[in-house]
Amino acid sequence: MRNARRNNTGGLSRRQVLAAAGFAGLASVTGCGSGDDGGGGKDLSKKQNGAMKEYRAGQQFKASKPLDFDLLHNDNPVYPLKRDWLFWKELTRRTGVTLKPIGVPLSDYEKKRSVMIGAGDAPFLIPKTYHPSEVAFVASGAILPVSDYVHLMPNFRAKVRQWKLEPELDSIRQSDGKFYLLPGLHERVRSNYSLALRTDVLERLGLALPTTWDEVHQVFRAIKEEYPDRYPFTDRWSTNTPFPVGALMSYLGQSFGVRAGWTYDNISFDSQAEKFVFTGATDGFHHVVEFLHKLVAEKLMDPESFTQTDDEAVQKLLGEKAFAISANPQELVQNYRFNLEKQVEGAKIEMIPVPLGPAGPVVLGGARLENGVMISSRALESDSFVALMQFVDWLYYSDEGQRFAKWGVEDVTYTRSGSRYALKPGISLMGSDPDAPKDLQKDYGFFNGVFTYGGSWELVSSSFGPDEKRFQDAMVVREQLPVAPAHPLQSVEQEQASLWETPLRDHVTQNTLKFALGKRPLSEWGAYVSELKAKNMQQLVDLHNKAYERFRKENG
C-alpha cells in the first residue's frame, strides 16, 4: 500500500520530512541555504551541444539541435508505459528532446534502480527517487552532486528563492554540503489524509462535525451509545506498511506535534531544547499512543483496524458496521461516497479538516519537498550536459513544463480559463468521468507520477474536486511546524546508524500496537523506554546530535 500511497499523493519519505534545515547561518556560505550553489567556475565549455545560449526562467526550452536522453521510467500498473503516448511526441515537438524510457515495474523499481546504478548501467535521468534513497549512491560517485550545477537551472533557483525553500533544500545536503537529488518543489504544504464521517448519522443524532480530537472522542461516544453493537470507527492502511493505521497515526501525530505512522522517523528535532531526540520516546508520541488506547479500550475503535486489509475496512463502512474511517480526497469520492450512495439510502460522508490537538492549527514542517530526480555521473561526460540540465529545469520546474506534464496539450486534452482547468469531453482522470472513452493517464501519458509533482498552489489545486478544495482551503492556512536543522551523517556513521535504526523502529512499532490494543499496560511506558535504551537509542541520538553540531560548525 505504501507504494500506491506515494503514487497517489506524492507522499514523502520519512527522512525527507524530518531532516530539513532551518538555520540562517547557512545562507551566508557559498552553496548552502541559497539553492543557488556553486558550479559556475566549472569548465562546461565543451558540454554545450544542443544547449540554448540564453536560457532564462519562464522561457520555453528548445534544444538548438535534436537530442536524445535516456530515462528510468517507473511503470505504474494503473497507467502502464506506452510508447505512443501524446506526452512523448509533444515533448519532442516542444523541446527538441526525445526521451528514451527504460520501463521498470513499480513493484521492482527501487531494486532495479540500485542494480543498474551499481553496475554503471543507469540512464542519465533517474526520477521517482525519494530522499534519502540517493544517499546509498553518494560514496561511489555514481550520481551527480546536482547542487554544483543548479546555476544552469533558472526556474529551479527562482522557485527556491520565491517560495523560501532554502531550509528544506538544506535538509537533503550530505556531509560535504552538497545535495544529490533534485526534489519536487511545492509552494505550499498539501495535506492528504484525515478522518471521514457519516454526516447523515451525525445529523440524525444532532451532532456537529468535530473540530478537535476531544470532540471526535465525544462524537464516537454518542454514536456508540446509539449503536452499542457496533464500532463507531474502523480503519485501514495497516497492511504492507511498517506502521499499522499509518495514515491515522500520521495526521493524529501532527495534531500532537510529533511524527508518527507513515511520517515516523526514529530521530526528530526538539526546537525548544535545540537538540535531536528519539521520537518514539517523546511525550508527544506517548500521548498519541494513549489516545489510540483510549479509543480501543472504550470500544470506540475497531481493534481489527490495526491488522485488517483495506478492503475489509471499507466493507465494514459500506455495511454500516462502522461510521468513520481514514480517507484521502480520492478515496472519499471514488470509493466511500460512490459505493455508500448505491448501498445505503440517504447516506452522506464527508472528510473533515484534521482535528486539532495540543499542537494547535499546524501542519508538519519540511513537507514542501517531494520525490525527485537523480542524475547519473555519466551525464557529465556528455557533450550535451548543459542542454540536459536546461531540459530538466524546464520540464520539472518551469510553470509551462509542469502544466504540460500534468494537463497535457491545451485544446486537445484540456481547456483553461484563468486558473480553472477542465478536461476535454470524452477524457477522464482518475474516474472523473467513468463513461469517457479516453483516460488522461492511460491513453495520453499525462499526470504521470514520473513527471508530475510539485508546483505552484494554483497548479497543484487545479485538479482539486469540490471536496478536496474545501479540505485544502482549511488546511493550507495552518502554520507549518519548524523545519529541523541539517545533520548529515558521514559514511561510517551512516553504516553504524543503519545497524541501530531497524531494531529500534521495530520495537516502537510492536509496542505501539501492544499499548493501543491493551496487550501491554500504559503503566509500562517507562519500561518500554528503558528497552529502547538497551537497543542503543541514546547512541543513535548522540550520533545525530554530533552530526548536527559538526555540520553547523563547518558551515557557519
Side-chain angles (χ1 to χ4, degrees):
M1 182 59 223
R2 200 162 194 198
N3 281 335
R5 176 178 60 89
R6 285 174 167 176
N7 279 278
N8 286 338
T9 69
L12 307 169
S13 78
R14 53 183 177 269
R15 179 72 68 189
Q16 177 194 324
V17 294
L18 249 180
F23 45 94
L26 285 182
S28 63
V29 181
T30 299
C32 289
S34 66
D36 194 4
D37 291 70
K42 295 181 183 295
D43 183 12
L44 299 174
S45 59
K46 297 181 179 179
K47 304 181 186 301
Q48 303 278 341
N49 181 46
M52 293 178 63
K53 291 184 178 180
E54 298 292 336
Y55 173 61
R56 299 177 301 277
Q59 183 180 11
Q60 171 66 52
F61 169 78
K62 185 66 179 282
S64 60
K65 60 187 299 185
L67 297 173
D68 295 344
F69 297 128
D70 52 1
L71 166 137
L72 200 63
H73 190 278
N74 186 339
D75 289 356
N76 191 314
V78 176
Y79 45 94
L81 171 66
K82 293 181 181 178
R83 306 284 170 170
D84 62 350
W85 276 341
L86 177 61
F87 174 86
W88 308 118
K89 180 180 179 180
E90 182 67 17
L91 183 67
T92 299
R93 189 189 72 79
R94 295 191 185 196
T95 67
V97 171
T98 298
L99 284 181
K100 295 184 174 180
I102 300 171
V104 178
L106 182 151
S107 59
D108 198 38
Y109 187 75
E110 294 193 13
K111 180 180 178 181
K112 180 68 172 179
R113 181 186 62 199
S114 297
V115 170
M116 293 180 73
I117 294 175
D121 297 330
F124 282 6
L125 300 177
I126 312 169
K128 210 63 185 174
T129 298
Y130 292 82
H131 179 73
S133 299
E134 81 280 11
V135 175
F137 312 115
V138 169
S140 67
I143 59 171
L144 211 61
V146 286
S147 57
D148 284 349
Y149 304 99
V150 294
H151 65 285
L152 302 172
M153 305 177 67
N155 289 291
F156 176 89
R157 290 184 289 121
K159 282 181 167 54
V160 169
R161 286 195 299 268
Q162 182 181 352
W163 298 341
K164 296 179 173 58
L165 282 162
E166 295 88 353
E168 279 92 340
L169 262 192
D170 286 336
S171 75
I172 60 174
R173 294 183 188 274
Q174 302 307 304
S175 56
D176 58 4
K178 302 178 181 183
F179 55 86
Y180 291 73
L181 178 71
L182 289 168
L185 306 176
H186 280 269
E187 180 181 9
R188 301 179 185 176
V189 174
R190 179 182 179 181
S191 300
N192 290 297
Y193 292 84
S194 188
L195 189 67
L197 299 102
R198 281 278 302 276
T199 50
D200 59 308
V201 173
L202 267 58
E203 290 169 5
R204 189 165 65 250
L205 298 180
L207 301 170
L209 285 172
T211 60
T212 68
W213 285 107
D214 285 342
E215 290 177 3
V216 168
H217 179 235
Q218 294 303 315
V219 165
F220 285 172
R221 290 183 66 177
I223 294 174
K224 183 67 175 179
E225 186 174 342
E226 179 71 13
Y227 301 96
D229 59 333
R230 309 180 210 185
Y231 292 106
F233 177 38
T234 195
D235 212 19
R236 57 181 296 190
W237 288 309
S238 288
T239 56
N240 301 321
T241 180
F243 256 100
V245 293
L248 169 63
M249 289 198 69
S250 294
Y251 62 81
L252 175 62
Q254 173 178 283
S255 304
F256 285 87
V258 66
R259 300 181 186 276
W262 282 339
T263 59
Y264 178 83
D265 197 299
N266 280 332
I267 299 296
S268 54
F269 192 69
D270 184 331
S271 57
Q272 292 186 332
E274 295 189 346
K275 64 179 182 180
F276 285 91
V277 296
F278 190 82
T279 310
T282 60
D283 288 344
F285 196 84
H286 188 187
H287 295 323
V288 169
V289 173
E290 283 182 321
F291 188 82
L292 288 174
H293 172 85
K294 178 168 66 174
L295 293 184
V296 174
E298 296 181 15
K299 300 187 186 311
L300 305 179
M301 180 177 182
D302 179 4
E304 292 182 356
S305 297
F306 296 84
T307 55
Q308 67 190 356
T309 66
D310 291 356
D311 285 344
E312 288 170 334
V314 174
Q315 287 307 312
K316 288 178 180 178
L317 177 76
L318 300 179
E320 296 198 284
K321 294 181 179 179
F323 304 97
I325 192 171
S326 286
N328 62 38
Q330 185 177 333
E331 282 291 285
L332 174 73
V333 175
Q334 296 182 23
N335 193 351
Y336 307 160
R337 182 177 294 149
F338 178 77
N339 288 300
L340 269 171
E341 289 176 352
K342 289 196 303 182
Q343 294 182 215
V344 182
E345 184 178 354
K348 294 188 294 184
I349 188 167
E350 300 289 343
M351 177 173 158
I352 63 174
V354 174
L356 300 179
V362 299
V363 292
L364 293 175
R368 291 191 296 158
L369 298 189
E370 202 170 336
N371 68 85
V373 181
M374 293 189 294
I375 296 179
S376 169
S377 294
R378 293 191 305 109
L380 189 58
E381 302 168 9
S382 168
D383 63 359
S384 300
F385 175 72
V386 172
L388 172 71
M389 298 303 291
Q390 291 176 343
F391 168 75
V392 169
D393 181 63
W394 179 83
L395 178 58
Y396 285 95
Y397 300 103
S398 75
D399 292 341
E400 188 58 36
Q402 291 174 332
R403 183 181 299 114
F404 164 72
K406 181 167 185 170
W407 285 103
V409 182
E410 190 165 5
D411 295 326
V412 175
T413 57
Y414 75 98
T415 57
R416 178 186 175 202
S417 176
S419 61
R420 296 176 65 86
Y421 292 72
L423 291 169
K424 291 286 285 185
I427 300 176
S428 180
L429 173 62
M430 292 184 284
S432 61
D433 181 0
D435 299 323
K438 295 290 186 179
D439 184 276
L440 189 67
Q441 295 173 309
K442 298 174 184 178
D443 298 303
Y444 295 97
F446 299 108
F447 223 105
N448 181 344
V450 174
F451 304 107
T452 306
Y453 38 77
S456 67
W457 187 247
E458 177 184 304
L459 182 65
V460 169
S461 63
S462 66
S463 56
F464 291 170
D467 289 279
E468 182 162 12
K469 187 178 187 308
R470 285 193 297 272
F471 175 72
Q472 298 293 353
D473 285 348
M475 295 299 297
V476 78
V477 297
R478 297 189 179 185
E479 181 183 359
Q480 185 178 199
L481 289 170
V483 181
H487 56 291
L489 301 179
Q490 295 175 345
S491 57
V492 174
E493 294 171 329
Q494 187 66 54
E495 291 175 7
Q496 180 59 73
S498 65
L499 297 176
W500 295 332
E501 285 272 10
T502 300
L504 284 165
R505 184 184 303 275
D506 289 347
H507 198 67
V508 172
T509 304
Q510 293 161 7
N511 281 275
T512 295
L513 187 59
K514 290 178 181 177
F515 284 129
L517 293 175
K519 294 181 178 179
R520 184 171 189 180
L522 288 171
S523 59
E524 291 187 12
W525 182 265
Y528 152 75
V529 173
S530 296
E531 292 156 11
L532 291 171
K533 291 178 179 177
K535 294 180 180 295
N536 301 298
M537 175 184 79
Q538 193 58 49
Q539 289 91 323
L540 180 66
V541 170
D542 291 344
L543 197 66
H544 283 275
N545 278 316
K546 177 184 175 182
Y548 164 50
E549 294 296 338
R550 179 180 61 238
F551 193 81
R552 183 168 63 169
K553 180 179 179 181
E554 292 177 356
N555 293 277

